[in-house]
Amino acid sequence: MPSRTKTTMFASAFFTCICSFVIICVVLATQHWMSSKVRFSGTNSSITVSLTYGLFSGTCEQFVDVGLQVSERTFQVADNLNNTKAKSMIIAIIVILVLSLLSSLLSSGFTCTNAVSNPYQTFLGPTGVYTWNSLCGIFILIAMILFPVNIEENGLSVELAYGCFSSLQTHITSEHTYGYSYWIMLLIIFLNITSIIIIYFYDHARYSKKKEQERPIENAPKDVILF
């Protein structure tokens, strides 16, 4: 059975890993990644399309300067995209987040295993926890970089607006606001770092104690040597 200290440390890391797993699920499931206001030129006035969307679905509504408002519509992100690059990047982000979800799940399993037992395999110990938490954090960071790139380089919001309302004409300007579904990914990275730090402190303390127990005899007290 593991020591009380080990159980406490790995149980704490397990809690942070589970929180990370839950938040990734929230990130994938919610559609508050981006809120955009996209302006287009019209025949007699400009038209503004307001969009709120995530990786899978979103809502859009159209406003005309004279005060006319078209009722809100829901849409599927993949179905509204004709731009192959934009669609491919959305799919890539989803795949990366699924990989981060699996990494977080494996990290949770490793920390739980170490909290209740002493695995013989090295990779099932702190090394495995370091690996899976690091991978999870890296995947999340990549997703956080790719999504703004898709917005700015591939005109994701503009493409979705055209998909919602086919009668739109020339694009004028866009305003983007990142939602909580995007920003809470920073919390996932923080939780992964916290898990690594917790296990590092445990591993470092265990290593120091082991070295202290293995001190060579020349470092022992003189009266012990004489005896």
Side-chain angles (χ1 to χ4, degrees):
M1 290 295 293
S3 64
R4 182 178 297 179
T5 302
K6 181 181 180 182
T7 299
T8 302
M9 298 294 274
F10 274 94
S12 300
F14 173 72
F15 176 75
T16 60
C17 291
I18 286 295
C19 289
S20 174
F21 178 84
V22 171
I23 295 173
I24 296 172
C25 291
V26 171
V27 167
L28 283 166
T30 54
Q31 61 180 41
H32 293 278
W33 279 63
M34 172 61 64
S35 294
S36 297
K37 292 187 182 297
V38 188
R39 293 178 63 85
F40 298 87
S41 61
T43 306
N44 298 316
S45 59
S46 63
I47 298 170
T48 301
V49 177
S50 178
L51 305 109
T52 300
Y53 59 92
L55 298 177
F56 297 99
S57 63
T59 59
C60 59
E61 49 188 339
Q62 179 178 306
F63 300 89
V64 183
D65 282 350
V66 294
L68 178 65
Q69 175 184 352
V70 177
S71 61
E72 186 177 271
R73 301 180 184 179
T74 60
F75 63 87
Q76 298 300 311
V77 172
D79 295 339
N80 268 31
L81 290 175
N82 294 318
N83 186 323
T84 306
K85 283 186 177 181
K87 184 182 288 189
S88 299
M89 197 165 288
I90 284 290
I91 294 171
I93 293 170
I94 293 171
V95 171
I96 288 169
L97 286 176
V98 169
L99 290 174
S100 71
L101 192 69
L102 293 174
S103 299
S104 183
L105 184 62
L106 285 168
S107 182
S108 300
F110 277 39
T111 51
C112 181
T113 300
N114 281 271
V116 298
S117 64
N118 293 311
Y120 292 104
Q121 294 88 344
T122 303
F123 189 72
L124 292 178
T127 303
V129 178
Y130 295 149
T131 301
W132 294 119
N133 274 282
S134 298
L135 285 174
C136 182
I138 290 169
F139 287 141
I140 293 296
L141 185 60
I142 292 172
M144 291 192 73
I145 293 171
L146 289 181
F147 188 71
V149 169
N150 205 14
I151 297 290
E152 300 299 332
E153 296 297 322
N154 298 324
L156 180 60
S157 293
V158 179
E159 291 292 327
L160 291 173
Y162 278 122
C164 283
F165 306 102
S166 57
S167 61
L168 295 173
Q169 298 180 16
T170 307
H171 170 239
I172 302 174
T173 59
S174 300
E175 296 178 10
H176 307 297
T177 304
Y178 292 88
Y180 72 84
S181 300
Y182 177 82
W183 292 115
I184 59 174
M185 287 194 287
L186 290 173
L187 180 58
I188 299 170
I189 295 174
F190 173 76
L191 288 170
N192 283 299
I193 293 172
T194 302
S195 297
I196 291 172
I197 291 173
I198 290 172
I199 302 307
Y200 171 79
F201 278 124
Y202 162 76
D203 203 26
H204 181 72
R206 184 188 64 167
Y207 179 79
S208 299
K209 185 176 180 180
K210 184 178 179 182
K211 281 295 182 183
E212 187 177 334
Q213 292 173 346
E214 294 177 353
R215 287 186 307 173
I217 194 168
E218 56 267 20
N219 291 334
K222 291 183 178 180
D223 55 343
V224 175
I225 296 175
L226 292 173
F227 177 77

